[in-house]
Amino acid sequence: MCSSCHMTRACSHRAKTCRAGLVGCAAALLLTGVERFTAAQGGEPTSPTGVQLPAPAAGPVDFERDIRSILERSCLRCHGPERPRSGLRLDTREGILAGGDGGPVVVLSNSAASRLIHAVARSPEISEDLWMPPEGRTPPLSAEEIGLLRAWIDQGLPWTSGPPRPADRIEVTVATGWRGGSAPASFLRSVWQRPSGWDGGLENLFWSHEPPEGPRFTLHARALRDDAFLQMDGWLPEWGRASLGVSQYRWYGPDRGQWPLLPSGEVGLLDREPALDIGRARVTLELDRRNWPGLHLDYEHRYRDGSRAITSWSAPPDGTPKRLLWPAYEVVDEESHILRFHAHHEVGDWRFEEDLRLQWTERHTSRTNALFNPPEGDARFLTRVAETHQSFQAANAVRFDRAFRPWLRANGGYFYSRYDADRSFALDEAPLNPAPGVVRRWHSPSITLEHSAHVANANLVAGPWAGWTIVTGVQSEWTRHHGLGRASFDYELSPDEWFLQPTLQESARDRFVLTERLGLRGEPIPRSVVFAEAAAQQDKVELFEEQPGGDTPFRRDTLAEGRAWDLRAGFDTTPLPNFTLGASYRWRLRDTDFDHRQDVVPTEFGDFPNSGYPAFIRDRHHRTEQIEARLTWRPAPQWRAALLYRFLGSRSESATDPLDGFDPATFEPVPGFYTPGTRTLGAESDVHAWTLQLSWRPVTRWSFRLQGSLQDHRVRSAVDDAATLPAWAGRSYRLQGLARWTWNDRTEAEFSYEWAMSDFHRDNLETVLPIGVLWREQYLSLAVRRRCGERLTVGLRYGLWKYDEPTSGGANDVLAHLAWVNLTWRWQ
């Protein structure tokens, strides 16, 4: 990972959006046939806005002189022999003619109809996300270079060998920089997920050995502070690939709370900085031989070692105020071994696939919290929890696919999974103050967990007929969970004298699900697509739970039957050449009925009725609506605007039976004391989101992007009380700007600015735990890259991040800086 990007990550640590995702998928979208290109017969293609492609170069094209350098500089990093994106290789003539996963990208002797030319020419007829090379990677191709590519395709892709190409290519990037600011170093580390202060080392090492014939080899490596990576791959032509990789990095956790404990603004601080070392080693063998079954065998070892912050907060060390706002951590020691096997083969018109995964995991965790017991009392206890976990999981999937007719295809599969685990749990308390309280302990030395699942599905794809396609499928699923354990809930009566309550615990859950799906997609009119999808689901769950002893014995047997429906419809249309419109609507409904066949308290004198929770719940109803609208407008070749609106609304309700209780003063039974039995609102939420995108390319060397977003959230529950659980509402705003300047083919600069704010706080600290957070941030970055000759490239980056969070009393406010420089040397 490029270290200069870590401060950008910090800027959006509350609501992160990744620009790299848009750049990374540009090639994939291009090669999956998303866009269609048409060319006028017998002349140069002209876009609807009147912009022509650069004309083909005059005269014969020499591959070694004119084409190879263009491909190596702008294309082969993503579409070379090693893991080519979307299956497209541009390093051989055969690979270019074969195309990618979406089909051919060139049309011999007709460059105007070649998708590759429209992408590298950054045609205004297609989305900027499809332009190649992606912005920020290498400078766009010049009109002269596009003309050479056009002439090369028009002349039949001549591929002369020329002088022998060097078999070895090496690229080394070393970097150094500094990160720091006004906030504590531990807080900055947890936000950036990189060390504070000076950092640097080997940012990237790439070595490829690719002779014209024979085995090939590549090596990738990185070695920075708390971040190391090594990957080696070897290819044997006509046989397959072998790879070996190891990596380790450090994950930093927060060591401070989020809300002030006192009017002074103090927040809780741990006595350590949580950090996890996460690593893995992997070995892969692949057999890829013509007319043989494809085989893939993979072994991976993973581990996590260290401590991590957890959300199970503690009481303050001095015991005041009585709120669990102090941060806490958990010590983790985990190790996993994973074995994967994949095979695929084609027999006639049939294609079969087999996937097997085996995983062994061992985990040990421990944590310590200071708690009040009872919560409203003054007694404080130090609670120590230790857990162990050993498990084995096996999963196997078999799939098939066949085209029976050009317009009819069937596929399906079967999946089986088995999970077995042994666990232990131990909780011990120690008093921290002399206030009266009862010391407790809970030990479960042996817990056995079992899980099995069977899933089968079958699907049919019919069409297209006159532009219409129908997809239908059915899936059945059966799962079973079973848990059995021994436990003891004990209380200390006096020093070294305990009241023991041993018991057994058992839980069994069986679930059956049947799902039917139907989809319709078509093009009723040119340049328009409509779609509709529907799904229905029926499920049945039988749950048995029993604890015959302990401090709260119970036995419960429940049957739950559910029904769900999911409907979605929408359209995408281009009524005008520079205008695109799309919209969709989705409606989901789920109803669940509960039949509590048994809910009792078992005793040696017989079974007695239980208090009723949660067996008094009779049914649940949940409804969700989602609306999305998209509008794209390109008023001129250099302008593009897009507007997106999303709405998501949901509402849940529950019906309950009367739940009786006792009057706390007279201890007389009161019918319906806890609830009289009625239909109650569970929660209701509405989310509105607007996004506006603008891009402008006034001249070839300049480009600008601006994106603004607004999200409005509202959540309401049946308990809408300002003193306990008030309605939760707020807005978040984000504005992002990006400017790129390409001075020449050697120098380019980038400037970005981001401002964001989110306000969901509630001023109710005196009554309950604070709800929500209010934060604001700004980030600006300036980067310059300069190619100093054919082998050396220098990159400089500076970033400034300002963050303030009033709800933490200023404890999390930050003013931070990043300075980073890297040198890249290439040799072949």
Side-chain angles (χ1 to χ4, degrees):
M1 179 179 294
C2 176
S3 297
S4 63
C5 297
H6 289 291
M7 193 167 189
T8 306
R9 175 194 299 172
C11 172
S12 306
H13 75 281
R14 295 290 181 187
K16 194 63 173 171
T17 58
C18 184
R19 301 188 193 95
L22 294 177
V23 175
C25 70
L29 291 175
L30 170 68
L31 302 173
T32 50
V34 173
E35 297 290 340
R36 297 179 178 177
F37 301 98
T38 58
Q41 297 295 328
E44 292 302 317
T46 302
S47 72
T49 55
V51 177
Q52 291 184 338
L53 295 171
V61 173
D62 182 87
F63 175 77
E64 294 294 333
R65 182 192 64 200
D66 303 318
I67 304 301
R68 183 183 289 278
S69 60
I70 300 176
L71 297 179
E72 291 181 346
R73 186 189 74 243
S74 303
C75 305
L76 298 189
R77 177 171 295 187
C78 297
H79 300 288
E82 42 179 282
R83 301 176 184 268
R85 291 193 179 182
S86 301
L88 175 65
R89 290 185 56 173
L90 300 179
D91 62 321
T92 65
R93 186 176 188 273
E94 293 76 13
I96 296 177
L97 292 175
D101 297 339
V105 295
V106 299
V107 179
L108 283 182
S109 304
N110 190 355
S111 62
S114 299
R115 292 190 291 148
L116 182 63
I117 294 299
H118 284 263
V120 298
R122 300 176 178 252
S123 170
E125 300 178 8
I126 64 174
S127 170
E128 292 183 12
D129 295 335
L130 304 180
W131 290 353
M132 295 181 65
E135 288 200 39
R137 298 290 181 86
T138 58
L141 273 62
S142 65
E144 178 183 358
E145 291 172 326
I146 297 172
L148 288 170
L149 290 178
R150 290 202 58 191
W152 182 49
I153 295 174
D154 291 339
Q155 296 171 22
L157 287 180
W159 198 287
T160 56
S161 58
R165 182 186 177 188
D168 293 277
R169 182 165 65 96
I170 300 176
E171 180 177 310
V172 181
T173 301
V174 294
T176 186
W178 181 86
R179 305 178 189 85
S182 60
S186 59
F187 177 76
L188 296 178
R189 281 193 289 267
S190 68
V191 173
W192 288 333
Q193 289 303 310
R194 290 297 305 156
S196 299
W198 287 100
D199 190 8
L202 180 66
E203 190 173 58
N204 180 57
L205 169 63
F206 172 74
W207 172 30
S208 68
H209 175 74
E210 301 175 10
E213 297 180 355
R216 303 194 309 269
F217 170 83
T218 63
L219 180 145
H220 294 263
R222 178 178 65 248
L224 300 171
R225 278 185 61 189
D226 301 330
D227 183 7
F229 167 81
L230 174 65
Q231 175 76 31
M232 296 181 291
D233 295 90
W235 287 267
L236 187 62
E238 304 298 330
W239 282 97
R241 179 178 75 97
S243 67
L244 170 66
V246 294
S247 66
Q248 176 177 300
Y249 69 95
R250 177 161 292 180
W251 180 89
Y252 299 93
D255 67 341
R256 59 188 50 235
Q258 292 292 324
W259 292 282
L261 294 173
L262 301 172
S264 61
E266 178 188 358
V267 297
L269 294 176
L270 292 174
D271 59 355
R272 65 174 60 193
E273 298 176 6
L276 270 178
D277 289 326
I278 302 175
R280 73 172 191 170
R282 186 171 182 175
V283 179
T284 302
L285 299 174
E286 291 185 12
L287 176 64
D288 186 10
R289 188 164 177 79
R290 181 174 297 181
N291 298 326
W292 284 30
L295 303 178
H296 178 111
L297 182 63
D298 179 281
Y299 167 75
E300 183 176 358
H301 173 237
R302 298 178 183 175
Y303 64 88
R304 298 193 305 163
D305 185 22
S307 59
R308 65 185 184 97
I310 59 176
T311 57
S312 179
W313 297 333
S314 294
D318 58 1
T320 57
K322 299 174 185 176
R323 297 195 180 99
L324 304 182
L325 291 176
W326 205 263
Y329 66 90
E330 180 180 59
V331 178
V332 179
D333 181 8
E334 180 180 274
E335 188 175 23
S336 296
H337 301 269
I338 304 171
L339 186 64
R340 305 181 185 90
F341 172 76
H342 171 81
H344 63 269
H345 191 49
E346 295 184 3
V347 181
D349 295 331
W350 292 85
R351 177 180 174 85
F352 298 94
E353 295 185 19
E354 157 75 16
D355 282 290
L356 175 66
R357 175 189 170 100
L358 307 176
Q359 178 169 340
W360 297 263
T361 300
E362 182 173 356
R363 180 170 61 247
H364 301 268
T365 63
S366 62
R367 65 180 186 271
T368 302
N369 297 75
L371 303 175
F372 292 99
N373 181 31
E376 64 276 5
D378 294 325
R380 297 177 64 249
F381 292 86
L382 192 66
T383 300
R384 298 184 178 92
V385 178
E387 297 179 74
T388 64
H389 174 99
Q390 293 180 321
S391 66
F392 169 73
Q393 182 175 15
N396 187 70
V398 180
R399 295 182 294 272
F400 74 88
D401 185 288
R402 182 186 178 182
F404 293 95
R405 296 287 188 273
W407 48 267
L408 182 63
R409 174 176 293 273
N411 58 66
Y414 170 75
F415 172 83
Y416 171 75
S417 175
R418 174 76 182 187
Y419 175 84
D420 295 282
D422 293 315
R423 303 189 63 179
S424 67
F425 177 90
L427 182 152
D428 294 278
E429 288 185 340
L432 289 177
N433 61 1
V438 179
V439 178
R440 305 170 300 174
R441 69 184 183 192
W442 174 13
H443 288 183
S444 296
S446 175
I447 304 173
T448 302
L449 303 175
E450 297 177 355
H451 167 83
S452 59
H454 302 262
V455 182
N457 68 18
N459 309 279
L460 283 175
V461 181
W465 295 311
W468 292 91
T469 301
I470 299 176
V471 180
T472 183
V474 61
Q475 176 171 299
S476 64
E477 176 182 353
W478 178 80
T479 59
R480 178 174 178 81
H481 306 260
H482 182 258
L484 181 65
R486 294 184 294 109
S488 183
F489 304 89
D490 307 330
Y491 295 89
E492 187 180 43
L493 301 178
S494 61
D496 298 327
E497 183 179 358
W498 291 83
F499 175 63
L500 305 181
Q501 300 183 98
T503 186
L504 292 175
Q505 296 174 315
E506 183 178 9
S507 174
R509 180 176 180 266
D510 291 281
R511 183 172 186 254
F512 175 77
V513 182
L514 182 64
T515 305
E516 306 89 14
R517 297 184 181 276
L518 177 64
L520 178 65
R521 185 180 185 90
E523 300 180 16
I525 58 176
R527 304 174 68 92
S528 298
V529 176
V530 297
F531 61 89
E533 302 168 359
Q537 186 180 91
Q538 308 84 43
D539 62 87
K540 179 180 180 181
V541 179
E542 295 188 69
L543 177 63
F544 175 80
E545 303 167 291
E546 183 179 30
Q547 179 179 296
D551 55 351
T552 55
F554 69 91
R555 184 188 304 122
R556 188 177 301 118
D557 186 6
T558 302
L559 170 65
E561 294 182 297
R563 301 159 304 282
W565 298 266
D566 189 344
L567 304 176
R568 183 171 179 262
F571 70 91
D572 287 283
T573 182
T574 307
L576 298 173
N578 58 352
F579 187 86
T580 301
L581 176 66
S584 64
Y585 174 77
R586 187 175 185 180
W587 176 86
R588 287 176 289 179
L589 177 66
R590 179 172 180 82
D591 289 321
T592 305
D593 297 323
F594 298 93
D595 179 12
H596 304 285
R597 298 177 291 199
Q598 189 178 35
D599 182 29
V600 298
V601 177
T603 70
E604 57 182 332
F605 305 104
D607 296 340
F608 293 89
N610 203 349
S611 61
Y613 185 85
F616 72 100
I617 300 176
R618 189 169 63 247
D619 67 66
R620 284 177 178 164
H621 174 88
H622 185 84
R623 185 187 75 249
T624 301
E625 291 183 287
Q626 181 177 334
I627 300 174
E628 181 176 313
R630 304 168 298 277
L631 174 64
T632 303
W633 179 44
R634 189 184 291 273
Q638 65 272 24
W639 280 96
R640 181 179 179 273
L643 178 64
L644 175 65
Y645 168 75
R646 290 189 180 96
F647 166 78
L648 178 63
S650 65
R651 179 184 176 89
S652 62
E653 299 176 349
S654 297
T656 61
D657 293 323
L659 183 59
D660 302 336
F662 295 89
D663 189 299
T666 64
F667 297 100
E668 294 292 331
V670 179
F673 178 79
Y674 292 103
T675 174
T678 183
R679 180 166 293 278
T680 307
L681 171 67
E684 187 176 48
S685 67
D686 294 311
V687 180
H688 300 266
W690 295 266
T691 302
L692 176 64
Q693 298 175 337
L694 299 173
S695 63
W696 179 41
R697 182 179 291 273
V699 293
T700 303
R701 295 183 177 182
W702 282 94
S703 66
F704 300 90
R705 286 191 179 187
L706 181 67
Q707 176 172 307
S709 63
L710 165 65
Q711 293 189 2
D712 183 271
H713 303 249
R714 296 184 184 277
V715 180
R716 184 174 66 90
S717 66
V719 185
D720 192 359
D721 183 358
T724 53
L725 186 61
W728 189 41
R731 288 183 176 180
S732 60
Y733 311 83
R734 185 169 297 275
L735 182 65
Q736 299 169 298
L738 177 67
R740 285 195 177 97
W741 176 51
T742 303
W743 184 16
N744 51 39
D745 60 352
R746 292 180 176 269
T747 306
E748 61 181 357
E750 176 184 296
F751 174 79
S752 64
Y753 174 78
E754 185 170 343
W755 173 89
M757 185 182 80
S758 181
D759 184 3
F760 287 90
H761 78 289
R762 287 293 176 268
D763 297 323
N764 56 343
L765 183 61
E766 299 301 324
T767 56
V768 294
L769 297 181
I771 296 178
V773 64
L774 168 63
W775 58 267
R776 296 178 292 259
E777 67 178 347
Q778 297 182 71
Y779 175 72
L780 63 86
S781 171
L782 177 63
V784 179
R785 185 170 62 177
R786 169 74 178 178
R787 292 176 56 201
C788 305
E790 295 298 324
R791 295 186 177 181
L792 181 64
T793 300
V794 180
L796 302 173
R797 179 179 291 273
Y798 169 76
L800 174 66
W801 178 41
K802 185 178 185 301
Y803 177 86
D804 65 278
E805 188 177 291
T807 46
S808 65
N812 292 333
D813 291 359
V814 179
L815 179 61
H817 304 265
L818 162 70
W820 195 257
V821 56
N822 57 33
L823 303 176
T824 301
W825 180 75
R826 298 180 180 87
W827 176 86
Q828 65 178 14

